[in-house]
């Protein structure tokens, strides 16, 4: 099977990870009402808690160089079980795409285009993402560096512009929230933005670098993304304090306070533009990964003919995925951390353990050495 | 709305059919057909306001009410 493989540079890969995490700023509404003014600490704790699992991702890539998650599942679990697990992962990728698309539609529909039906916003957006996906991974990830730099500049400018509204006392006392809330928030953060990095197991083989050196770009990308999220959350807490729990979009409210010389006000439009750009990147990447998974699962040469009907499924799935925002928040806070834990941490770890029990990495290495010797 | 749906899916088929024929892969035809029919069915159910169960909320309810795993 020769599904086309685009190639990306290590730097594109690293900034794609950062951009992917940065685009999860909207998701602070899941954990901010629980951990309140300790949310910044929760992000830091979650980034440490995630490290063993990210290590498992890197080890999987090193053990099976040149193979993506679907191919690894086939190699480790066998043809039938591997296909079943890969089908479950495909559902997971499509669900993530639909959830993010629904979040975008909800945000744009409630904040910017109030009279436009959500279905129109979502459909137009997915068509744009479908176009990017049809052009390949290189196009999807090419501007990740620009997006990260742009979002960082906007972040620094807004911190400077709102510094007069900040109160360091809003952070005190530290660890005021009950331990149960801290644990719940840490679980949410570690699964909802951070654990979603499992999707990069699908594109790691396409990075133009030796598998041994992948960690040198994967981890810095993760740390940079985690740092930016921490800064965003800390800025929001410094300005909003305990009222952070009231707002659905704390960052949006924070930027309402930005004004330059009382002439340029309502800078929340910057947040909106940035979020749309970042969401475009995230949804395109998730869509690409879903298409790639589909093409490998069904052993097709190309995913391109499947883009449009899959986009149709993603749109309708995003419209039916949950009845209301309240339901989404309820699931995101209460059950999603456990559900996603299985896909993002448990399954990859299990794959790694079974691979080593069956000594598959050694067999892979021997097979590659034989090939090199015969060539 | 149903008319728009039919027009949209017809346009999709018009765009993709030449590529499918050119590829000459039976497997691709079957997979495309499966996804196309699934997408059309879901859209039809949605537009006719027939409730469609979301696998996401189904799984969430399974975790919460059957396995009792939730915060």
């Amino acid at each position: 099977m020769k599904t086309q493989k685009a190639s990306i540079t290590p730097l594109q890969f690293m900034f794609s990870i950062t951009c992917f995490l940065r685009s999860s700023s909207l998701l602070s509404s899941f954990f901010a009402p629980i951990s309140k003014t300790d949310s910044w600490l929760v992000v830091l704790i979650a980034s440490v808690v995630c490290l063993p699992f990210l290590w498992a991702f890197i080890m999987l890539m090193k053990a099976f160089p040149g193979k993506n998650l679907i191919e690894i599942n086939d190699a480790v679990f066998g043809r039938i079980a591997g296909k079943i697990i890969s089908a479950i992962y495909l559902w997971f990728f499509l669900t993530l795409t639909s959830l993010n698309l629904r979040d975008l539609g909800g945000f744009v529909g409630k904040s910017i285009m109030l009279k436009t039906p959500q279905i129109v916003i979502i459909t137009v957006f997915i068509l744009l993402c479908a176009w990017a996906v049809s052009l390949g991974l290189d196009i999807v990830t090419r501007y990740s560096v620009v997006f990260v730099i742009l979002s960082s500049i906007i972040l620094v400018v807004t911190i400077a512009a709102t510094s007069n509204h900040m109160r360091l006392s809003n952070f005190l006392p530290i660890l005021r929230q009950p331990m149960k809330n801290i644990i719940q928030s840490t679980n949410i953060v570690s699964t909802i933005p951070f654990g979603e990095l499992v999707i990069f197991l699908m594109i790691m083989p396409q990075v133009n670098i030796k598998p041994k050196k992948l960690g040198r770009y994967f981890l810095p990308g993760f740390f940079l993304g985690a740092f930016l999220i921490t800064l965003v959350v800390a800025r929001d807490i410094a300005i909003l304090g305990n009222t952070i729990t009231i707002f659905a979009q704390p960052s949006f409210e924070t930027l309402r306070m930005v004004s330059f010389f009382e002439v340029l006000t309502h800078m929340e439009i910057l947040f909106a533009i940035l979020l749309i750009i970042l969401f475009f990147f995230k949804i395109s990447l998730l869509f690409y990964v879903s298409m790639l998974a589909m093409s490998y699962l069904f052993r097709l040469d190309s995913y391109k003919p499947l883009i449009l009907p899959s986009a149709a499924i993603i749109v309708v799935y995003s419209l039916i995925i949950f009845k209301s925002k309240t339901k989404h928040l309820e699931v995101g806070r209460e059950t999603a951390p456990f559900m996603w834990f299985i896909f993002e941490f448990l399954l990859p770890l299990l794959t790694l353990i079974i691979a080593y029990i069956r000594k598959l990495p050694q067999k892979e290495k021997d097979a590659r050495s034989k090939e090199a010797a015969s060539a | 709305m149903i008319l728009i749906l039919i027009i949209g899916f017809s346009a999709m088929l018009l765009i993709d059919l030449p590529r499918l024929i050119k590829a000459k892969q039976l497997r691709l035809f079957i997979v495309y057909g499966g996804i196309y029919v699934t997408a059309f069915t879901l859209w039809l159910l949605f537009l006719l306001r027939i409730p469609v169960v979301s696998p996401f909320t189904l799984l969430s309810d399974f975790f919460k009410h059957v396995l009792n795993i939730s915060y």
Side-chain angles (χ1 to χ4, degrees), chain A residues 81-117:
Chain A
K83 286 276 181 267
I84 293 169
I85 291 172
S86 297
I88 293 169
Y89 266 113
L90 175 61
W91 171 81
F92 173 62
F93 297 148
L94 287 170
T95 303
L96 281 183
T97 315
S98 301
L99 283 169
N100 282 281
L101 192 62
R102 177 68 181 264
D103 283 342
L104 172 88
F107 171 72
V108 172
K110 287 183 172 54
S111 309
I112 307 166
M113 300 169 85
L114 299 159
K115 291 187 180 174
T116 308

Side-chain angles (χ1 to χ4, degrees), chain A residues 253-271:
Chain A
E253 299 306 321
T254 303
L255 272 102
R256 278 182 199 269
M257 297 188 185
V258 172
S259 69
F260 293 105
F261 310 109
E262 295 178 20
V263 175
L264 289 173
T265 57
H266 287 289
M267 291 285 112
E268 67 269 20
I269 193 67
L270 276 179
F271 172 75

Side-chain angles (χ1 to χ4, degrees), chain B:
Chain B
M1 283 302 278
I2 308 282
L3 187 63
I4 296 173
L5 178 72
I6 292 168
I7 292 169
F9 272 79
S10 305
M12 196 191 302
L13 202 57
L14 274 169
I15 294 168
D16 288 331
L17 207 54
R19 214 183 312 185
L20 288 170
I21 294 168
K22 198 177 170 186
K24 290 180 191 170
Q25 273 192 301
L26 181 63
R27 195 195 297 267
L28 182 61
F29 251 117
I30 294 168
V31 172
Y32 182 91
I35 297 171
Y36 187 90
V37 166
T38 307
F40 187 79
T41 309
L42 285 173
W43 267 103
L44 199 62
L45 291 172
F46 176 73
L47 290 174
L48 292 173
R49 297 183 200 278
I50 295 168
V52 179
V53 177
S54 157
F56 178 68
T57 43
L58 205 64
L59 186 65
S60 165
D61 290 342
F62 177 74
F63 264 73
K64 190 171 183 178
H65 301 297
V66 175
L67 300 177
N68 285 320
I69 301 174
S70 79
Y71 283 107

